Amino acid sequence: MAKSDGAYPVIDLSGDTVEKRERALKAIVDDPYTLTCMAARLQNTDTPADGKKEMRRRKEALKAFSEISPEFWDMNDGRSEN
Amino acid sequence: MDEAKIKSICRIAGKKAEDLSEFFADVQRSLVLKSIHTSLNPLFLMDACESCYIDLERHKDFHGLDIADRHKRAAFLFKWLARKRPINLSAYKQGPGAGLAIHVNAYFALMAALGELDINVHKFAPTKISQNIIYAASYRDINAESWALTFCLLEKVFPI
């Protein structure tokens, strides 16, 4: 039913018999991750629905911003520039 | 928008809110090191995530888009988190860096948006550009479509 393409499982509902299609559908509803991936496909997102990649990027961003000097945040002078 | 579509959007928004809530724990810890104490309002966070995805869906319908690319997802998330301000400031200490306390919601919104983007954050973070973006999210009207373009350009300026 499902084969990983690196981002989502590939969901094959093209079985040539009703039984094959029913088996594929049953496999989908029995697997919460596949269901989540289907929801993401409906939403047309292009990243995995488990959010791991996003979380890794956010943590990297937090690390980068945490290393900035404290003076960076005193940006009231920025008013004249914005 | 039909009910099934709304349910699907709410489920995706719920997952995003859950992820951001988990991420907030890290943000909170890093802020405590700077003597900034915060808490997260889960209701506002969920509202921001739902608004983001419903707004994005409306945008896709209006422009006839099948796919909302990562720049748009980042921009709409940025817009709604900066607008709904889900982080409460409970205490902070005056001194160098206290300015972050004022911008803590814009800061969180930018971190959330950066999660969607392929940007070299270590080069981007200490620049005047990131400072201006946080400032704009705090004080200016936020137009998600314009921010999508900004985020697209940021990826080109700070490639990984």
Side-chain angles (χ1 to χ4, degrees), chain B residues 11-22:
Chain B
R11 195 165 57 238
I12 291 164
K15 177 74 175 77
K16 181 64 76 181
E18 198 180 294
D19 287 352
L20 289 176
S21 180
E22 187 188 329

Side-chain angles (χ1 to χ4, degrees), chain A residues 7-67:
Chain A
Y8 299 107
V10 174
I11 299 156
D12 181 10
L13 291 178
S14 61
D16 54 358
T17 65
V18 172
E19 288 73 24
K20 279 186 187 171
R21 287 197 289 273
E22 277 180 355
R23 271 204 303 276
L25 277 171
K26 187 173 182 314
I28 289 168
V29 296
D30 285 348
D31 177 7
Y33 179 69
T34 308
L35 269 181
T36 314
C37 288
M38 283 186 76
R41 276 193 192 281
L42 286 173
Q43 189 64 13
N44 292 316
T45 55
D46 62 359
T47 48
D50 65 7
K52 281 180 187 162
K53 189 176 176 186
E54 288 86 350
M55 187 64 89
R56 185 175 47 74
R57 285 167 170 163
R58 281 193 289 267
K59 288 189 177 190
E60 200 60 36
L62 179 62
K63 191 177 163 208
F65 275 90
S66 297
E67 290 165 358

Side-chain angles (χ1 to χ4, degrees), chain A residues 39 43-44 46-47 50 54-55 57-60 62 65-66 68 70 72-75 79 81-82, chain B residues 15 19 26 34 57 60 66 73 97 99 111 115-118 122 125 128 130-132 135 140:
Chain A
Q43 189 64 13
N44 292 316
D46 62 359
T47 48
D50 65 7
E54 288 86 350
M55 187 64 89
R57 285 167 170 163
R58 281 193 289 267
K59 288 189 177 190
E60 200 60 36
L62 179 62
F65 275 90
S66 297
I68 297 176
F72 178 88
W73 299 106
D74 300 325
M75 55 175 86
R79 280 183 182 140
E81 294 179 22
N82 283 277
Chain B
K15 177 74 175 77
D19 287 352
D26 290 344
K34 300 177 198 306
E57 203 58 34
K60 281 165 58 183
D66 289 331
R73 291 202 310 277
M111 297 295 119
E116 309 288 331
L117 301 167
D118 285 323
H122 293 280
K128 194 78 183 167
S130 72
Q131 199 182 47
N132 285 345
Y135 186 90
R140 303 280 183 250

